[in-house]
Amino acid sequence: MTTYARTSLVLALSAAAVAASLTVARAAAPVGGLDWVSCGPEGLGQECATLSVPQDYADPGGPTLSLAVSRIRSQEPAARRGTLMVIPGGPGSSGVKRLSQKGAALREQLGGTYDLVAFDPRGVGGSSTASCGLDEGDRWLVTLRGWPAADGGIEENVARARRTAEACARNGGARLRSFTTENQARDLDRLRQALDEERISAWGVSYGTYVAAVYAQKYPQRTDRLVLDSSSDPDPKRVARGWLEYMAEGAEDRFPDFAAWAVHPDRDRPDQRLRLAERAEEVGPLVLDLAARLDREPRESTTPGVPLTGNVFRQALQNALYGDAAFPAFARLVLDASARDPKVKPVIPPGLDSALTDRDAALTIGVICNDVKWPGSVPAHRRAVAADRVRHPLTAGMPANITPCSFWKAPAEKPVRITDRGPSNILMVQGLRDPATPHAAGLRMRAALGDRARLVSVDHGGHGMYLGNGNPCGDRAVTDFLRTGERPAADVTCR
């Protein structure tokens, strides 16, 4: 049986998708200031509403924004203790969609302990959005992420970053400038009030852990039980810049899991067609050599007009490291891209075969740039990319590269500093091999929270542990905490 061992120790749902997926019924009577209607997957009991919030909380009588809100009510009033907010990652992921995806599993784990509630943050899904007016070529994930050129050059990245920042300043206006983590925390408290709850619990994942931590810092007495699932460094001088840089370390931590799988794809039903090498240590050089070959000679893919380049291949690898379920598709990509027969066309994974919508691109850029000032020195970025390419070849300098944030208007507010002041009611759960929020980054959040938190480290790879990539031991720790309030006496590891 798995036991605790002591240790010292993130896609936005488009409005069109929301409209297509929600079956609206007649409005129910207002509850807590919200008009709820039936929506979501059949049989889940999901309801949706719209919440109005100030665009600028310093100007409450000014323009307002609409937020899409959703809930699944407790079916056991005697067991209900309050509301659990499901806070998505990103920035850019939909809370409404995540509740639809995880609602059944949460209800099974938590019984009737909570009403489950989520919302689409400003800029996302069914909530009010903004636009930068970007050309299609500037809205692909590999261009938004800023992968350097094949030789490590960043000149094209610099030009695109400057062009993107100027377009967002010109077209996004005050609405885009309002897309900040601190405003999301304020919106969360506005929703708490609309629900007529004195305190709220929360499960935040990835970027959502930072939102939850900021909320706990701003409104400590409004928090009940908080779960931070897959956290990164909350350093207020760096915030998202630090998160991006940590991805280089995360990829190196996680890749051995894929390499081990790739030499024996399925231990129960081995599929030798997906076996990439005889030994795990051969997989890394194979992948790096293939990426370099695709830099020189991009390969025609099954998506017309979208070749498989070295950087598309690298981004596909990074995406695949988020969960074991993506390993087979990436192994097939490696095999097809390596095929000698030119008629074999690799399949570019979803999300990389088309550009983001303008509003999704604006939101993704907006939050990270609005939260904190980024350094603007081009020579410094050039040196950082060169060094990072040597230290972390899997990510080829992307995490250290320049972004539109270097040419962004200075933030209106300073980032919130996460401290150990407040109730000791936080449980962190963190994977040991996370490609996006590596364990070392999670330890920085743990240190900032001090005795407010306990940390459950899970000996597993992937991004997002609870009811995702984790293990029964880690899941049980989170479920027990949310249901009973009990946490480990000290930080522990689930092996």
Side-chain angles (χ1 to χ4, degrees), residues 414-486:
K414 292 183 178 180
V416 173
R417 178 179 292 277
I418 306 303
T419 74
D420 59 359
R421 295 189 297 274
S424 183
N425 61 353
I426 299 172
L427 181 70
M428 295 178 59
V429 58
Q430 195 86 16
L432 292 182
R433 298 178 302 283
D434 187 320
T437 55
H439 196 259
L443 291 180
R444 300 296 297 272
M445 176 71 86
R446 175 69 184 88
L449 290 168
D451 196 52
R452 298 185 68 185
R454 299 291 184 272
L455 172 64
V456 176
S457 300
V458 180
D459 187 7
H460 206 285
H463 185 53
M465 290 293 105
Y466 185 52
L467 306 182
N469 295 297
N471 62 25
C473 167
D475 285 357
R476 186 166 58 250
V478 174
T479 296
D480 288 349
F481 170 64
L482 289 175
R483 294 190 71 146
T484 70
E486 295 181 7

Side-chain angles (χ1 to χ4, degrees), residues 9 22 28 31 54 68-69 72 139 158 198 228 236 243 260 319 344 353 363 403-404 408 419 441 455:
L9 306 164
L22 303 184
V31 177
V69 179
I72 301 173
R139 290 189 275 108
V158 172
E198 181 178 350
L228 308 188
W243 307 340
N319 291 358
V344 176
D353 56 353
L363 182 279
T403 73
W408 208 260
T419 74
L455 172 64

Side-chain angles (χ1 to χ4, degrees), residues 233 235 238-245 367-369 371-372 374:
D233 185 358
D235 182 351
R238 296 163 58 80
V239 194
R241 178 164 62 95
W243 307 340
L244 186 63
E245 291 176 1
V367 174
I368 64 173
C369 297
D371 271 0
V372 68
W374 293 49

Side-chain angles (χ1 to χ4, degrees), residues 166-201:
E166 291 173 350
C168 289
R170 185 170 58 250
N171 300 315
R175 175 176 288 192
L176 180 60
R177 293 278 294 164
S178 80
F179 294 173
T180 68
T181 300
E182 195 159 1
N183 274 340
Q184 187 170 336
R186 293 181 178 113
D187 293 344
L188 184 57
D189 199 58
R190 181 93 166 193
L191 177 55
R192 176 195 63 78
Q193 296 172 56
L195 293 168
D196 197 26
E197 292 282 9
E198 181 178 350
R199 297 186 300 167
I200 53 174
S201 296

Side-chain angles (χ1 to χ4, degrees), residues 230-253:
S230 305
S231 304
S232 198
D233 185 358
D235 182 351
K237 296 180 180 178
R238 296 163 58 80
V239 194
R241 178 164 62 95
W243 307 340
L244 186 63
E245 291 176 1
Y246 263 115
M247 285 185 173
E249 182 177 338
E252 300 289 344
D253 289 347

Side-chain angles (χ1 to χ4, degrees), residues 22-82:
L22 303 184
T23 303
V24 179
R26 293 182 61 187
V31 177
L34 296 169
D35 294 318
W36 296 101
V37 298
S38 177
C39 67
E42 186 175 350
L44 192 57
Q46 193 168 353
E47 299 174 300
C48 291
T50 300
L51 175 70
S52 178
V53 298
Q55 179 172 286
D56 181 356
Y57 278 86
D59 181 19
T64 62
L65 303 178
S66 296
L67 303 184
V69 179
S70 186
R71 75 173 177 184
I72 301 173
R73 301 180 71 176
S74 167
Q75 300 301 308
E76 300 179 35
R80 182 186 180 278
R81 65 168 288 108

Side-chain angles (χ1 to χ4, degrees), residues 10-28:
V10 24
L11 292 173
L13 183 65
S14 67
V18 173
S21 65
L22 303 184
T23 303
V24 179
R26 293 182 61 187

